[in-house]
Amino acid sequence: QVQLVESGGGLVQAGGSLRLSCAASGSIFSINVMGWYRQAPGKQRELVALITNGDITVYADSVKGRFTISRDNAKNTVYLQMSSLKPEDTAVYYCNARIRSSSYDAKLDDYWGQGTQVTVSS
């Protein structure tokens, strides 16, 4: 089994910064893509940013230039540095990872963290 544990959410004023972390543990052979998604009340879950095992990054247009995703492969951890936060960034942020659990099975499975609340006050 694999677990993703997020940390770093909280309450911040507009213009402030937060750093989210997500550590994967358990039966892990390799991690392909790691990413962050968010879901605001009454809205669908949306991609915020993702990073491949080749360090290729993709960002939602709404966060480009303000958020930075990075990963530490030795720690199986992905980070999201969020700066210049806006009230519209308020949401529950979820970590996602596509993981290969076995050396003899190339199957990749998607895993999700439990979510961490980010609230930006105006």
Side-chain angles (χ1 to χ4, degrees), residues 95-114:
C95 174
N96 170 266
R98 184 158 293 180
I99 294 173
R100 176 179 173 180
S101 295
S102 169
S103 61
Y104 54 83
D105 185 351
K107 182 171 66 74
L108 297 172
D109 293 307
D110 273 323
Y111 294 92
W112 292 89
Q114 79 284 359

